[in-house]
Amino acid sequence: MLNLNGITVRLGGRTILDGAAAALPPRSRVGLIGRNGAGKSTLMKVMIGQLDPDGGAIEMPRGLRIGYIAQEAPSGTATPIEAVLAADTERAALLAESEACEDPDRLGDIYDRLMAIDAYTAPARAAGILVGLGFDEEMQGRPLDSYSGGWKMRVALAALLFSKPDLLLLDEPSNHLDLEATLWLENFLKSYPAMMVVISHERDLLNNVVDHILHLERGKTTLYAGGYDSFERQRAERAAQLAAARANQDAQRAKLQDYIARNSARASTAKQAQSRAKMLAKMQPIAAMADDPTLSFDFPDPDELKPPLITLDMASVGYAETPILQRLNLRVDPDDRIALLGRNGNGKTTLARLLAAQLAPMDGAKAASGKMKVGYFTQYQVEELDGDDTPLAHMTRVMPGKTPAAVRAQLGRFGFSGDKATTEVRKLSGGERARLALALITREAPHLLILDEPTNHLDVDAREALVQALNSYSGAVVVVSHDRHMVELTADRLVLVDGGTAREYDGSLDDYMAFVLSSAGAAKRSEQSQGARKKDRRAAADARARSQELRRAVQVAEAEVARLTAERSALDRAMFDPAGAARALADLPMSTLARRHAEISAALEQAELRWVASSEQLENDDRASEALLSD
């Protein structure tokens, strides 16, 4: 059980969390949702102890291991597989201790614990997680510093998942993932054995993974049972109930006000009117559900152009002298809705840049309509916005010669009206900056919109608004997105970018998802098979090490048996042939010889038993080691 007891947080003079309270059930899978800027990340920082609340407290079991991705991505010369394995600190500490330990008893305890935590299969498990997140065998062995920030964050996510904390906290885990890795992550989280709280705007993940929704709004939290669709239904019902209650209260208020107006001046009813006035004053207004009037996407429709907009004929594209994609045959028409599929690094962005005329074909042919205008959205455009400028200044700069009314009209299409238009960009949320970037690229009513991961900074409601706007837009759309909900609702053509080329995918998105998961399952089985072989080799190595110990034990036992046998023979001679006995024994009384003979005989019996047991164990281990190696 994890209890939020009246959490209040104030930052910069503004109340972010205002008495947030909820009781999260044990082993629950909670989706923490809310509009951008609602305070989701703030609440998660309170959970991990990174931020002290101004009021209230979090109650959780003592000794609970909490896992959370640090803001700084891992770096250095370590490889991804090494970084992930290091996340299991107990395993790393035990292995390090075992290399220096000379105490046989402690060494035995270490090996027992390593077996208990399944330490010897750890490399295979770590590799399986990395493969799921897009790292093939070669990539797992490269130093972290050779990767971009997004890939480093994938390593951080892999390390967190590998460490298996008791409480797993994830803040937008799919932001740096492609669709394929997102599918794998969702499948992994479905079987996660402990409690988790995940901040996500992925509708499918929230429907398929979590069993509770914790909704954060106006600093307050409300816990709903079920996934996101269930939350939406319950919230709609609650909104209807609130609307009905407000209507009922408004009717009562009007009735009371009418009574007071009609009866205050009459002496016979003045007392009753005063009583009604007190009732009216005590009436607490029922708050309406929050509504954001600035949530807006409205793409201007372009002029009509004859098809096709773009044709690729055996085209190649790449960078410098190196082609990334070859044998490209693709046609884009004015009413096309195309989604580019394929893992990150396969060339989706390269193909998008070719379509946007940011790259020229290295070979083959590309034909494009001379009148076509293209709007190309990337995350770089969001990051490159000038934080000191306002949306109005940005739009005025890219619309020279346009009237202030036209500039403001374009901003208004995307919710930047009134004070929002003159707010400094650095004060805008990530979602608002993404909306501004979309407003900028669509200022000329493009015939083709190319959107590369447009939803990364958008919350669920904003994503839904974007989907509706795209479906109302009359131009062509090419989208790269890990948001399955968006792809399903906006794309009617799928193009798979894989193997150095791009081709139409003959199937639905569900078919592609099944293909990705089945491929991941095959890879996992391969990893498990490799892991089993590694485990067998490790077991064989352990058996050989034990065999060496047993051989030493056999040798020690054999030497002890020989020594005791010789000593007993000398005692026999002293007892039964004193003339031939050694001088040290010849002068001893018979009682002493007899007692010593009994002691030696008992010791010899125990030594023989140790010799027999060690010899049998040695034979068994040798046979087992041979069997493992033969497999």
Side-chain angles (χ1 to χ4, degrees):
M1 179 74 76
L2 189 150
N3 294 329
L4 310 179
N5 298 323
I7 305 298
T8 297
V9 174
R10 300 180 185 90
L11 297 175
R14 187 167 71 94
T15 300
I16 307 298
L17 301 175
D18 186 11
L24 308 185
R27 302 178 71 84
S28 57
R29 303 157 179 271
V30 181
L32 177 54
I33 69 168
R35 294 301 311 277
N36 285 338
K40 301 183 295 295
S41 295
T42 300
L43 180 56
M44 190 163 279
K45 288 176 182 177
V46 175
M47 290 182 182
I48 64 174
Q50 187 175 327
L51 184 65
D52 292 327
D54 295 292
I58 291 186
E59 178 186 341
M60 62 180 66
R62 182 173 299 177
L64 190 75
R65 292 188 307 113
I66 301 176
Y68 180 75
I69 294 181
Q71 290 184 347
E72 292 187 4
S75 60
T77 58
T79 64
I81 189 70
E82 290 170 346
V84 172
L85 288 171
D88 189 342
T89 54
E90 181 185 11
R91 174 184 177 274
L94 288 171
L95 288 174
E97 185 181 356
S98 69
E99 293 178 358
C101 182
E102 297 181 356
D103 180 357
D105 293 333
R106 174 56 186 158
L107 199 57
D109 293 340
I110 291 173
Y111 287 141
D112 287 343
R113 182 57 185 162
L114 287 170
M115 292 294 289
I117 64 175
D118 207 12
Y120 297 122
T121 66
R125 288 186 283 111
I129 293 174
L130 285 168
V131 167
L133 293 176
F135 292 85
D136 59 25
E137 186 175 355
E138 184 272 332
M139 294 174 69
Q140 293 178 28
R142 283 163 42 190
L144 288 170
D145 282 346
S146 66
Y147 288 101
S148 66
W151 283 98
K152 288 179 181 179
M153 292 308 298
R154 291 195 189 202
V155 176
L157 175 60
L160 175 61
L161 299 177
F162 177 74
S163 67
K164 291 184 179 178
D166 302 321
L167 172 58
L168 177 63
L169 301 178
L170 298 171
D171 191 346
E172 289 290 353
S174 60
N175 259 5
H176 300 285
L177 304 182
D178 50 31
L179 173 60
E180 292 73 11
T182 300
L183 287 171
W184 177 89
L185 176 64
E186 180 183 305
N187 208 44
F188 182 92
L189 294 179
K190 283 180 184 178
S191 58
Y192 191 74
M195 184 178 183
M196 77 172 69
V197 177
V198 54
I199 298 173
S200 179
H201 300 308
E202 300 284 344
R203 181 186 293 260
D204 291 285
L205 185 148
L206 293 171
N207 276 326
N208 297 332
V209 173
V210 308
D211 51 31
H212 287 79
I213 295 290
L214 184 63
H215 184 223
L216 181 55
E217 183 179 48
R218 295 175 177 175
K220 306 287 187 183
T221 50
T222 306
L223 187 65
Y224 296 83
Y228 187 81
D229 287 348
S230 175
F231 154 74
E232 276 202 330
R233 287 193 298 270
Q234 294 177 67
R235 190 166 181 243
E237 292 169 0
R238 185 176 171 221
Q241 292 169 356
L242 284 175
R246 280 174 59 85
N248 184 52
Q249 187 184 68
D250 290 344
Q252 291 181 21
R253 188 183 297 275
K255 187 175 181 181
L256 288 172
Q257 289 172 336
D258 179 66
Y259 184 90
I260 294 167
R262 286 187 295 103
N263 294 282
S264 294
R266 292 162 49 184
S268 59
T269 56
K271 187 174 182 180
Q272 291 87 338
Q274 291 175 359
S275 176
R276 298 295 196 281
K278 290 180 180 178
M279 292 173 58
L280 184 62
K282 291 180 179 179
M283 267 186 139
Q284 295 296 322
I286 297 173
M289 299 289 280
D291 187 24
D292 186 354
T294 68
L295 182 60
S296 177
F297 295 91
D298 182 11
F299 298 111
D301 289 328
D303 298 332
E304 289 189 13
L305 287 181
K306 293 181 180 180
L309 295 179
I310 299 175
T311 302
L312 301 179
D313 184 11
M314 293 300 290
S316 298
V317 63
Y319 305 91
E321 302 294 326
T322 306
I324 302 299
L325 299 173
Q326 302 180 74
R327 305 181 308 281
L328 295 173
N329 295 294
L330 183 66
R331 170 175 168 148
V332 180
D333 287 331
D335 59 349
D336 269 334
R337 302 301 170 99
I338 301 172
L340 302 184
L341 307 178
R343 284 194 174 276
N344 282 357
N346 283 2
K348 298 191 300 293
T349 296
T350 301
L351 177 55
R353 294 188 65 190
L354 174 64
L355 296 175
Q358 290 192 357
L359 291 175
M362 301 171 67
D363 196 7
K366 173 191 172 185
S369 172
K371 297 181 179 180
M372 180 183 65
K373 290 176 286 188
V374 178
Y376 181 34
F377 174 91
T378 71
Q379 289 301 314
Y380 299 111
Q381 293 165 324
V382 179
E383 296 165 1
E384 291 172 357
L385 292 171
D386 189 337
D388 295 327
D389 265 352
T390 65
L392 182 59
H394 277 90
M395 192 62 70
T396 301
R397 191 160 49 247
V398 299
M399 295 181 68
K402 298 294 183 181
T403 65
V407 172
R408 283 189 173 270
Q410 175 63 9
L411 287 171
R413 288 176 174 273
F414 292 83
F416 294 98
S417 58
D419 293 341
K420 273 294 182 184
T422 55
T423 300
E424 292 177 342
V425 167
R426 59 185 172 84
K427 296 180 180 179
L428 300 177
S429 69
E432 289 171 330
R433 295 182 192 187
R435 278 196 284 121
L436 176 57
L438 287 167
L440 292 169
I441 68 163
T442 58
R443 65 190 182 276
E444 295 182 344
H447 302 89
L448 171 62
L449 271 180
I450 302 175
L451 307 178
D452 194 342
E453 296 293 356
T455 64
N456 271 3
H457 297 287
L458 303 182
D459 56 43
V460 184
D461 293 334
R463 292 182 184 203
E464 194 65 32
L466 176 59
V467 166
Q468 294 175 13
L470 287 174
N471 286 337
S472 299
Y473 169 65
S474 63
V477 176
V478 174
V479 63
V480 178
S481 179
H482 64 266
D483 188 327
R484 301 199 303 280
H485 181 71
M486 177 182 178
V487 172
E488 286 175 332
L489 294 184
T490 61
D492 49 30
R493 285 178 62 192
L494 302 178
V495 173
L496 179 60
V497 183
D498 188 30
T501 190
R503 61 185 183 278
E504 295 278 344
Y505 182 75
D506 187 17
S508 66
L509 185 60
D510 286 339
D511 295 331
Y512 182 69
M513 289 163 52
F515 165 74
V516 169
L517 292 176
S518 64
S519 299
K524 182 177 180 181
R525 288 189 292 273
S526 175
E527 290 289 340
Q528 288 173 340
S529 176
Q530 294 176 14
R533 289 194 292 272
K534 290 179 180 178
K535 185 176 181 180
D536 287 345
R537 290 194 292 271
R538 165 66 71 172
D542 291 343
R544 288 193 296 272
R546 285 196 303 271
S547 294
Q548 293 176 356
E549 293 291 333
L550 288 170
R551 285 190 175 88
R552 285 195 292 270
V554 168
Q555 292 171 357
V556 170
E558 286 177 342
E560 184 73 0
V561 167
R563 183 186 65 79
L564 291 172
T565 299
E567 189 171 346
R568 190 173 67 173
S569 297
L571 288 170
D572 286 338
R573 178 167 295 184
M575 292 173 66
F576 302 107
D577 185 14
R583 180 173 299 179
L585 298 177
D587 297 334
L588 293 176
M590 183 59 69
S591 59
T592 300
L593 292 173
R595 184 175 65 254
R596 184 70 180 276
H597 190 279
E599 292 172 352
I600 294 298
S601 296
L604 178 59
E605 182 179 358
Q606 292 301 315
E608 288 174 340
L609 289 174
R610 288 195 298 273
W611 177 78
V612 170
S614 297
S615 298
E616 290 179 349
Q617 185 62 48
L618 178 61
E619 291 178 4
N620 292 336
D621 278 17
D622 284 344
R623 285 196 295 269
S625 180
E626 290 174 2
L628 287 171
L629 291 174
S630 65
D631 291 341

